[in-house]
Amino acid sequence: MTLEEFVAENGDKRIEIQDDGTIRILEEKGPWKPECEEKYYTIYGCGSVETFKWVDCLMDDLRKEMGNVFQTKAEAERTVHRLKARKKFLDAGGHEGMDGLVFGDRYHVYPQRGDKILMSAKERNVTAFDIWFETEADCRRAIESLTDDEKAALCWMGENE
């Protein structure tokens, strides 16, 4: 079978070519989804984290569609801290989007993941929720407004702590 025939038969699925020359189709790994009756965590509007069992009902599906289904309580709590940090960035003078900016004329919060600290940086790319600040002082004030938990949540990369 030629590669062209393989693609025609299998579509654009991700593949891996084995040492022996054979092709293995890689599994598509989407976001985690609980099995039926499996426990998951969700965030309520007030920021509290609640536990539910997945029963494949409409509410389960809606929470999943919104990205509000978490495998661990720690993951859900980290998300709460990230959302609170985002609001504090905006409250401290942060801006969303790119309107009216010349590249490089903005400051943003940059996580130093190895040290688990946040810094301000003047760069072309906007990180941390795509929120930028006009001055470095505004950016530093926003960082200083965060709790230690909020800072840790922004530096977290998904590895076990």
Side-chain angles (χ1 to χ4, degrees):
M1 174 183 287
T2 67
L3 185 57
E4 187 175 292
E5 292 168 338
F6 181 87
V7 170
E9 185 178 312
N10 294 288
D12 58 356
K13 294 179 182 174
R14 294 183 59 227
I15 61 170
E16 179 179 86
I17 299 176
Q18 306 295 300
D19 290 338
D20 64 1
T22 60
I23 296 174
R24 181 172 70 96
I25 298 175
L26 299 175
E27 287 184 39
E28 291 292 323
K29 292 189 176 184
W32 176 76
K33 179 181 176 185
E35 299 291 326
C36 196
E37 295 297 315
E38 186 176 2
K39 172 174 66 171
Y40 71 91
Y41 299 87
T42 192
I43 302 168
Y44 269 32
C46 61
S48 66
V49 175
E50 302 293 330
T51 308
F52 287 94
K53 281 191 177 178
W54 187 270
V55 293
D56 215 9
C57 67
L58 177 62
M59 286 307 295
D60 289 342
D61 291 337
L62 291 174
R63 289 183 188 119
K64 176 85 172 107
E65 185 178 315
M66 288 177 36
N68 196 7
V69 171
F70 303 94
Q71 192 168 8
T72 66
K73 185 174 183 179
E75 184 183 4
E77 289 171 341
R78 228 176 257 111
T79 300
V80 170
H81 292 306
R82 288 178 67 89
L83 292 170
K84 287 180 179 179
R86 182 182 192 285
K87 181 177 181 335
K88 285 184 178 182
F89 285 164
L90 292 171
D91 290 348
H95 305 275
E96 295 180 281
M98 304 295 212
D99 297 340
L101 284 179
V102 175
F103 279 118
D105 287 347
R106 58 182 168 257
Y107 291 85
H108 66 270
V109 176
Y110 184 81
Q112 287 289 97
R113 290 184 165 85
D115 300 331
K116 297 198 175 185
I117 59 171
L118 297 172
M119 305 171 52
S120 62
K122 187 175 185 180
E123 295 182 12
R124 290 176 179 247
N125 297 323
V126 177
T127 60
F129 314 112
D130 290 330
I131 295 174
W132 56 272
F133 298 87
E134 292 176 3
T135 68
E136 186 174 13
D138 288 342
C139 191
R140 288 179 190 227
R141 248 190 316 280
I143 293 170
E144 291 167 6
S145 74
L146 302 179
T147 66
D148 289 342
D149 286 337
E150 291 162 349
K151 289 175 186 174
L154 290 175
C155 291
W156 184 70
M157 287 293 295
E159 71 276 1
N160 292 331
E161 295 180 23

